Amino acid sequence: MSGTDDAAEREALLGKLTLREKVRLLTGATTWRTRAEPALGLREMVLSDGPAGVRGQSWDERDPALLLPSASALGALWDEERVERLGGLLAAEARRKGVDVVLAPTLNLHRTPLGGRHFECFSEDPELTGRTGAALVRGIQAHGVAATAKHYVANDCETDRLTVDVRVPERVLREVYLAPFEAAVEAGVRVVMAGYNGVNGATMTASPLLDDPLKREWGFTGVVVSDWGAVRCTEPAARAALDLVMPGPEGVWDEALVRAVEEGRVPREAVDDKVRRLLGLAAACGALGEPGPPLARERVPATASKHQAEPPCASPISASALVSEPPCASPVPVPDGRSGLPGAPSVSVPASGGRSELPGAPSGSGPASVSDTPCTPPVPVHVPDGRSGLPGGPSLSVVASEPESSCASPVPVSASDGRSGLSGAPSASGPASEWWAEAACAAPASEPESPCVPGVSMGAPFSLGGDEARALLRETVAASAVLLRNRGVLPLDPSRLRTVAVIGAHAALPRTQGGGSAGVFPERVVTPLDGIRAALGDGVRVVHVPGPATGAPAPPLTPDLCTDPVTGDPGVRLRVLDAASRELFSGHRAGGRQLEPPLPPGAHTVEIDTLLLPATSGRWTLGVGGFGRLSITVDQRVVLEGEFGRTTDDPAVVHVNPPVHGASVHLTAGRAARLVARRELAPGTGRATVVTAAPPRPDDGPAVAEAVRAARDADAAIVVVGTTEDDESEGCDRTDLGLGGLQDDLVHAVTAAAPHTVVVVNSGGPVELPWRARAGAVLLTWFPGQEGGAGLADVLFGRAEPGGRLPTTWPATLADAPVTRTRPEDGRLDYTEGLHIGYRAWARHDREPAYWFGHGLGFTTWAYEGLRVPDDIVAGEPFTVRVDVRNTGPRRGREVVQVYLAGPPGPPDRPVRRLAGYAAVGAGPGESVSVPVLIPPRALRHWDEDEHAWHTRPGAYRVLAGSSAGTLPLTATALVRAVG
């Protein structure tokens, strides 16, 4: 059927709906699902966070996901083909987990190095961000899964992100912050997410920018969805071209929007346009098929008393009341304490459409007790051979026999107005208290849910086995690693090594991903220590010295530290109790981070019970995270008890990273201690429960001395340093760029003793490196995902070249950085720097950073020998420049050739230079290559605020070519003439 016929068919379907039925479709059914309309053949669509991985509909360690390198690492690739392949991997994971819409890519910019969520964004430059984001969109959507461009727009900082009003001039919006979203629309992105923030006086979910330029000028035909809980006003959002309110089932539209339409305050056509777009998205994702029987329309009560306990809920993926939640796949065993599965599931998805029903799936209600199984799609999963994840086991398709229990109606929480001066502004307290677990738990009692099976959609088949997926991720770690400095130390020659000292706490416990709502439970993690040991084998002695404390918060309990007191298996016992402390649920879990414990009817308290197995004697720091009444007992002795109220409205804090309250307890090595942590549930406080344990802090002086001795005695020393959960996480910006604890002191001491030391930096964004000139080599690995240690070892020992180039300028000190402001004043954050962020600001202020945007070394060297520019360049048309480069080093390598533009002289104000294009090239030793670099018309244009239009000024532009924004040895002049 042609596109025209499809559109006509959807128009006919639209005509079958009443106003109420249309409005009903415009708010989610649960936290992660849209509503179904069987009479139209419309099934629900499932959305899931990204971009580091596809978590699915629940936070469950038994339902792991492949963990990609962070978005900042993808930005460092400067490689759209590889990014597209990674998008295909995300699509395969989405299909495996029954997800139709992946909430990625994030297209906000690294405006200041203090941004707390830089790890989730690609770069500081709109051109690099736009090209990288468009590649990820293409990769995801090539396989019948929709991508989501977020967070539209100017959502570049985390401080007061729910209420901030960003003030940014029209030209700056167009040329800098809107540009990556325009590129995503050109790439065909199917969903755009409106952020929490406001821009120029209007909250983004009610902003005129949703209509123009997004839908009107750019011609975006997809769906605009709200960030979760961001819509708290009815009519302004409905009139402003927002299409879908998430989460559900309750929202600010529903009957209020029906009345507004009936009374003429919101045009009926506005509602029709939203539904039309939703149907188009469903068709693209394979969610629109043959009509079925209509849904019953009776509903359970929409709200509950404000004094009622948090709603009982099996998990956010279960929204109907005991009628049709399907069987779910049995948990895949979690192995040896490194928070993941050694055996990745094999991802193989057919191309035919439709969600298949499970044979024998029950149509009625399940048992009243809560099943201890995650709601995993029952696709074939590689289940190992009984020894917790060894390869070679049979491929099994396992389906549990019990459905999850049902949910009840949500607990509304009153909200005060937390946003001043914004048109249509929501209150600040809404997002945390009315979404995630709470919002997911109400739905019509008679509305059936679709089976928890993969949504197989239209698009080409995509098959990627576990080993192939891991290989792609491992290659990406090396390809994104940025070699900042190298004094001939790297690569290390394994044949010359007998002893290697690996130093630093991050070597054994790295940061694989940033903190916040986009996190996943990885299917396995290869640490730097693991990777180095595996690469060197038994013939080389690898010594690990943790060094001094990093200042990181105590980590959640892991299976290597504790034992389930019921089963004796590594891990913890998770229980849910009623008000009389009677057990409602009991199940084994691998660790102490339980973000979505099951909440059966009557749930009052979440308990985590374990036998703690201390390896060292001394005063341990034990903690419990959450809100409300919290307690910890050790061997039946109360060590912490108190009432800890909610102190923030940020959903990422309430539901993902709740504050931890701790106590110091003396424990004896080898003697098990019974630890029981409890949190009582209260309305509006979420249910995330985290139990942490940290061993006694080592004495700093001896710890540093031990590291120095190890480095001195070794043939090679590798120090791994990095940021902590307190530094880089959703919901807060950074206050400095320093490494935590005494990590800088550690590096200073080790490099003084062993000048050839390799320092590996494990961070998602810039940090100060005051010792960089003393290190033998400095290698940046970002948050590298699950295969980080393997990819790192490939680079260290020369099996792969470090291919990354900086997507963000790194300052030597925070004081040097030109743009640092993240904190609003009186609710406003003014982008007074205008067009000049990142390398543009450094060039404008004539400052020298530690490392320029685009910088990155390989294992060879390059000479830039020629630059050729066309004689005839017409405004508004693309042109190609050619850059001649030669590999002057001893081995084959890859170079990213970058081209910048400056000028023309005269008004309007322009950046000193701006990235116009780039291309990667490979060449062998001594080989010369002429590299074509395409310059798109947008590189020359500027936005005219008086005419509200794009213009390209004819004249002489300087073309600069080189290896970074600060190393541009080649220059030429390009004469641009007017059209005609």
Side-chain angles (χ1 to χ4, degrees):
M1 184 177 290
S2 70
T4 302
D5 292 337
D6 288 342
E9 183 175 332
R10 291 196 293 272
E11 201 66 27
L13 294 176
L14 180 65
K16 296 179 180 180
L17 297 176
T18 66
L19 175 61
R20 274 183 173 76
E21 289 170 334
K22 293 173 183 176
V23 169
R24 177 183 168 279
L25 293 175
L26 303 180
T27 297
T30 70
T31 301
W32 300 111
R33 300 184 186 185
T34 64
R35 294 189 185 276
E37 184 55 71
L40 301 185
L42 174 65
R43 66 161 170 84
E44 64 196 2
M45 289 179 284
V46 177
L47 299 86
S48 175
D49 268 320
V54 182
R55 185 177 61 249
Q57 300 178 75
S58 63
W59 292 84
D60 194 320
E61 66 196 21
R62 300 162 301 161
D63 184 17
L66 292 173
L67 176 59
L68 280 65
S70 63
S72 52
L74 270 57
L77 292 171
W78 297 62
D79 183 345
E80 289 146 80
E81 182 180 350
R82 180 175 293 275
V83 173
E84 283 196 40
R85 291 175 62 200
L86 292 166
L89 180 56
L90 286 174
E93 281 285 274
R95 301 274 285 273
R96 182 175 69 86
K97 287 175 171 276
V99 169
D100 301 290
V101 180
V102 176
L103 303 180
T106 302
L107 298 180
N108 304 116
L109 299 180
H110 299 175
R111 172 181 163 265
T112 159
L114 292 175
R117 208 173 178 180
H118 278 357
F119 59 86
E120 197 177 315
C121 309
F122 295 123
S123 84
E124 68 187 18
D125 182 76
E127 178 70 13
L128 179 59
T129 295
R131 286 178 59 170
T132 307
L136 196 69
V137 167
R138 291 192 298 269
I140 293 172
Q141 295 192 166
H143 308 288
V145 177
T148 305
K150 65 181 186 182
H151 307 86
Y152 189 82
V153 62
N155 191 170
D156 310 296
C157 300
E158 294 295 289
T159 306
D160 295 343
R161 65 178 181 144
L162 308 183
T163 60
V164 63
D165 179 19
V166 176
R167 296 300 175 113
V168 53
E170 180 183 348
R171 182 184 173 207
V172 177
L173 258 181
R174 287 290 193 145
E175 294 187 24
V176 180
Y177 298 100
L178 284 170
F181 290 93
E182 185 176 7
V185 172
E186 291 174 354
V189 72
R190 294 183 179 126
V191 182
V192 170
M193 180 190 291
Y196 290 117
N197 61 299
V199 171
N200 295 336
T203 182
M204 279 311 305
T205 53
S207 171
L209 294 171
L210 300 180
D211 178 58
D212 195 27
L214 179 58
K215 291 183 176 180
R216 192 184 302 263
E217 179 185 328
W218 298 347
F220 174 63
T221 58
V223 169
V224 177
V225 64
S226 70
D227 204 339
W228 268 228
V231 182
R232 285 144 286 178
C233 55
T234 300
E235 296 174 25
R239 289 193 296 263
L242 185 80
D243 299 312
L244 177 62
V245 174
M246 290 297 288
E250 301 304 322
V252 298
W253 281 359
D254 294 332
E255 285 301 313
L257 180 53
V258 171
R259 288 194 301 273
V261 173
E262 291 176 339
E263 295 170 10
R265 298 190 303 276
V266 173
R268 189 175 296 265
E269 173 53 32
V271 171
D272 286 350
D273 182 67
K274 300 175 196 306
V275 177
R276 194 177 289 119
R277 290 170 179 273
L278 200 64
L279 293 176
L281 175 63
C285 294
L288 194 59
E290 293 299 320
L295 294 174
R297 296 301 179 203
E298 287 188 32
R299 296 182 61 102
V300 295
T303 58
S305 165
K306 293 180 183 179
H307 306 290
Q308 180 180 326
E310 180 129 316
C313 182
S315 75
I317 55 179
S318 179
S320 58
L322 286 176
V323 289
S324 64
E325 195 66 53
C328 299
S330 60
V332 179
V334 176
D336 59 3
R338 290 205 309 267
S339 70
L341 298 176
S346 177
V347 181
S348 182
V349 183
S352 57
R355 288 192 182 218
S356 59
E357 294 289 340
L358 287 174
S363 58
S365 65
S369 62
V370 178
S371 167
D372 188 22
T373 57
C375 195
T376 308
V379 293
V381 175
H382 179 75
V383 179
D385 62 1
R387 290 175 294 169
S388 72
L390 297 176
S395 178
L396 302 176
S397 181
V398 183
V399 178
S401 58
E402 293 185 3
E404 296 277 0
S405 72
S406 66
C407 298
S409 50
V411 180
V413 179
S414 59
S416 58
D417 185 5
R419 193 192 291 233
S420 59
L422 296 182
S423 168
S427 68
S429 60
S433 56
E434 295 177 5
W435 71 289
W436 209 289
E438 293 93 329
C441 293
S446 57
E447 179 174 325
E449 293 284 346
S450 292
C452 184
V453 295
V456 179
S457 314
M458 294 185 298
F462 189 90
S463 178
L464 192 60
D467 290 342
E468 294 174 271
R470 292 195 201 110
L472 174 58
L473 297 180
R474 178 174 180 164
E475 292 165 5
T476 301
V477 174
S480 63
V482 181
L483 185 56
L484 297 174
R485 175 181 174 81
N486 189 18
R487 292 191 295 155
V489 173
L490 290 181
L492 299 171
D493 183 352
S495 68
R496 298 187 176 187
L497 303 176
R498 291 183 178 85
T499 301
V500 173
V502 180
I503 298 167
H506 281 76
L509 193 64
R511 290 202 71 186
T512 57
Q513 58 185 319
S517 61
V520 302
F521 287 103
E523 55 98 18
R524 75 171 193 171
V525 169
V526 181
T527 70
L529 189 58
D530 293 334
I532 291 169
R533 282 177 170 159
L536 293 177
D538 296 335
V540 179
R541 180 170 173 258
V542 177
V543 179
H544 177 232
V545 180
T550 64
L557 294 174
T558 53
D560 58 334
L561 188 62
C562 55
T563 298
D564 183 334
V566 174
T567 66
D569 296 327
V572 306
R573 172 63 34 175
L574 174 65
R575 298 204 306 157
V576 179
L577 312 175
D578 67 9
S581 294
R582 291 183 296 247
E583 183 178 286
L584 301 176
F585 169 88
S586 178
H588 174 78
R589 295 293 186 269
R593 187 170 184 245
Q594 300 299 319
L595 302 185
E596 292 179 350
L599 301 183
H604 179 270
T605 300
V606 176
E607 177 188 278
I608 294 178
D609 181 3
T610 192
L611 288 171
L612 194 62
L613 309 172
T616 56
S617 298
R619 299 206 66 83
W620 283 63
T621 302
L622 308 179
V624 57
F627 298 95
R629 187 161 189 80
L630 308 175
S631 68
I632 299 175
T633 64
V634 177
D635 293 334
Q636 299 184 335
R637 178 170 63 92
V638 176
V639 298
L640 181 142
E641 189 171 33
E643 191 79 30
F644 302 92
R646 198 184 83 202
T647 56
T648 179
D649 297 311
D650 197 298
V653 178
V654 174
H655 300 291
V656 182
N657 293 317
V660 173
H661 306 276
S664 178
V665 179
H666 187 276
L667 300 177
T668 302
R671 179 181 173 185
R674 184 73 174 266
L675 184 156
V676 180
R678 288 184 172 184
R679 70 156 292 182
E680 294 183 3
L681 302 169
T685 62
R687 53 175 160 152
T689 306
V690 181
V691 180
T692 64
R697 177 183 174 124
D699 292 335
D700 294 332
V704 172
E706 183 185 6
V708 169
R709 283 195 301 273
R712 216 179 255 139
D713 295 342
D715 300 304
I718 301 164
V719 182
V720 186
V721 295
T723 57
T724 72
E725 288 281 352
D726 287 343
D727 296 324
E728 295 183 274
S729 185
E730 179 180 356
C732 59
D733 289 311
R734 302 161 72 185
T735 56
D736 62 62
L737 299 181
L739 292 169
L742 297 179
Q743 293 185 89
D744 286 333
D745 292 345
L746 173 67
V747 178
H748 275 298
V750 171
T751 54
H756 296 299
T757 296
V758 177
V759 183
V760 177
V761 182
N762 176 202
S763 71
V767 294
E768 294 175 355
L769 309 173
W771 33 259
R772 65 190 184 279
R774 300 176 59 175
V778 182
L779 181 66
L780 170 61
T781 60
W782 310 102
F783 294 154
Q786 68 177 58
E787 302 298 319
L792 168 63
D794 290 340
V795 172
L796 292 175
F797 304 116
R799 295 170 185 163
E801 184 183 40
R805 302 295 184 266
L806 284 180
T808 293
T809 304
W810 279 44
T813 67
L814 177 61
D816 295 338
V819 181
T820 59
R821 185 165 167 242
T822 63
R823 184 166 297 280
E825 294 180 4
D826 298 324
R828 287 178 46 162
L829 180 61
D830 291 286
Y831 283 16
T832 54
E833 68 279 354
L835 302 170
H836 311 287
I837 64 170
Y839 66 89
R840 300 176 178 197
W842 287 89
R844 181 179 180 85
H845 293 277
D846 198 23
R847 299 181 186 177
E848 187 71 21
Y851 300 107
W852 282 97
F853 171 84
H855 171 74
L857 306 175
F859 289 154
T860 190
T861 55
W862 297 86
Y864 280 73
E865 298 181 331
L867 172 62
R868 298 190 298 279
V869 176
D871 295 330
D872 185 38
I873 301 174
V874 180
E877 295 183 4
F879 63 96
T880 298
V881 303
R882 303 196 73 89
V883 183
D884 299 328
V885 297
R886 181 166 53 90
N887 182 345
T888 56
R891 58 184 283 173
R892 184 172 184 83
R894 173 182 179 267
E895 176 72 335
V896 178
V897 176
Q898 302 162 41
V899 175
Y900 295 77
L901 289 181
D909 177 45
R910 296 175 186 268
V912 173
R913 53 186 174 270
R914 57 197 181 278
L915 181 67
Y918 60 89
V921 62
E927 185 179 354
S928 296
V929 183
S930 179
V931 184
V933 180
L934 179 68
I935 309 300
R938 62 178 174 269
L940 282 73
R941 68 184 186 177
H942 69 272
W943 184 259
D944 189 313
E945 292 187 342
D946 294 328
E947 297 185 17
H948 307 290
W950 291 106
H951 288 295
T952 298
R953 182 178 170 185
Y957 291 74
R958 288 183 67 219
V959 181
L960 306 97
S963 59
S964 77
T967 306
L968 298 166
L970 302 179
T971 62
T973 299
L975 297 177
V976 178
R977 63 178 176 84
V979 177

